Amino acid sequence: MCGIVGYIGKDNAKNIILDGLKRLEYRGYDSAGIAIIVNGKIKTFKREGKIRNLECELN
């Protein structure tokens, strides 16, 4: 099972997507990832475990 969160807009996409992933976290997922556009290029970040592990990578 997987959950997908997406956002297109002018607000801070990283924070909006992380909030959406946190809302799905209770379902027992064991990893998370995020892809964002930085300086016109797609950057991906992936971490095993809780969403906070991914959050630490992004900060």
Side-chain angles (χ1 to χ4, degrees):
M1 183 188 248
C2 69
I4 299 171
V5 177
Y7 173 76
I8 297 174
K10 295 182 181 187
D11 292 333
N12 187 328
K14 178 185 81 168
N15 293 338
I16 292 169
I17 293 171
L18 283 173
D19 182 54
L21 289 173
K22 287 177 188 174
R23 292 170 189 244
L24 294 173
E25 187 171 36
Y26 73 92
R27 297 179 185 195
Y29 300 126
D30 59 356
S31 62
I34 187 171
I36 55 177
I37 298 173
V38 178
N39 296 326
K41 295 189 180 199
I42 298 174
K43 295 198 80 159
T44 58
F45 303 88
K46 304 174 193 175
R47 283 290 172 258
E48 291 182 7
K50 300 282 183 183
I51 301 299
R52 69 177 164 253
N53 297 342
L54 178 62
E55 230 173 343
C56 288
E57 171 70 17
L58 292 168
N59 292 332

